[in-house]
Amino acid sequence: MKKTILLIAVLCIAAASQAQTLQSLFDKYSEDEHFEYVNLGGGGMIVATSKGNVAKAKNPDSGSKRETTKILTLTASSDSQIMKAFEKDLNAVLEAGKFETTLETKSKGESTHMYYRSLGNNRADQLILTKTKTELSLMWTSGKAGKAGMTPGVSLNTDDDETGDAEKS
């Protein structure tokens, strides 16, 4: 009986150590040669325009609402082993992390999913997953949630004009 209890305890510990967190997922795949990795964090922010102008802003408020953003991008066939392994690991993280789906779109072989979870203490994680037949990109934004911060279902500004103002018709 003691051996059975000990065996069950060892198996539970082994299973718990296999469970991935969002951070461990990014740590694991950011080192993989198949992935491109970007980490935007701290008090600084780099802004680049389509014309090549680059400005660096560093002020105490620049990271107050969105403290960190990380992006993993994989260029591979949707049926490749690395794509399947990443999706399996990501699904395990989504389930274990209790993320809720706030957006899902599918069109002509492309899909976008947005996931959100509250971490308490006015903090949250937001994931945006985009996938095509040859590329998968996962963006993780973690920081303070609030009126101007991350909120489930908030639309993203996609204005293309230089001033950032919506074109008036």
Side-chain angles (χ1 to χ4, degrees), residues 1-34:
M1 181 70 163
K2 287 183 182 182
K3 288 182 182 180
T4 305
I5 293 173
L6 180 61
L7 180 61
I8 291 172
V10 170
L11 289 175
C12 288
I13 291 171
S17 67
Q18 292 295 321
Q20 282 197 335
T21 63
L22 196 51
Q23 183 62 51
S24 66
L25 178 81
F26 270 79
D27 289 344
K28 176 181 178 180
Y29 288 103
S30 67
E31 298 297 323
D32 189 301
E33 65 185 19
H34 297 96

Side-chain angles (χ1 to χ4, degrees), residues 17-134:
S17 67
Q18 292 295 321
Q20 282 197 335
T21 63
L22 196 51
Q23 183 62 51
S24 66
L25 178 81
F26 270 79
D27 289 344
K28 176 181 178 180
Y29 288 103
S30 67
E31 298 297 323
D32 189 301
E33 65 185 19
H34 297 96
F35 285 82
E36 293 178 31
Y37 174 69
V38 177
N39 182 1
L40 304 168
M45 175 193 268
I46 296 175
V47 179
T49 66
S50 60
K51 295 181 180 176
N53 300 329
V54 177
K56 184 171 183 177
K58 190 157 181 99
N59 67 49
D61 296 329
S62 65
S64 63
K65 289 294 178 191
R66 293 210 167 104
E67 293 177 2
T68 197
T69 298
K70 297 179 181 185
I71 305 167
L72 279 174
T73 303
L74 170 64
T75 303
S77 169
S78 61
D79 60 351
S80 67
Q81 291 296 330
I82 188 72
M83 183 78 77
K84 289 178 182 179
F86 180 77
E87 287 179 320
K88 180 181 175 186
D89 289 345
L90 176 60
N91 287 332
V93 168
L94 292 172
E95 287 180 29
K98 298 180 180 170
F99 282 87
E100 63 180 85
T101 303
T102 57
L103 173 78
E104 182 176 350
T105 65
K106 294 181 182 181
S107 175
K108 299 178 185 175
E110 298 181 5
S111 64
T112 301
H113 294 83
M114 188 181 299
Y115 304 96
Y116 180 87
R117 75 171 170 190
S118 175
L119 300 172
N121 205 19
N122 204 27
R123 298 183 53 78
D125 284 333
Q126 182 174 8
L127 296 175
I128 300 174
L129 174 68
T130 58
K131 184 179 176 187
T132 66
K133 293 177 183 176
T134 59

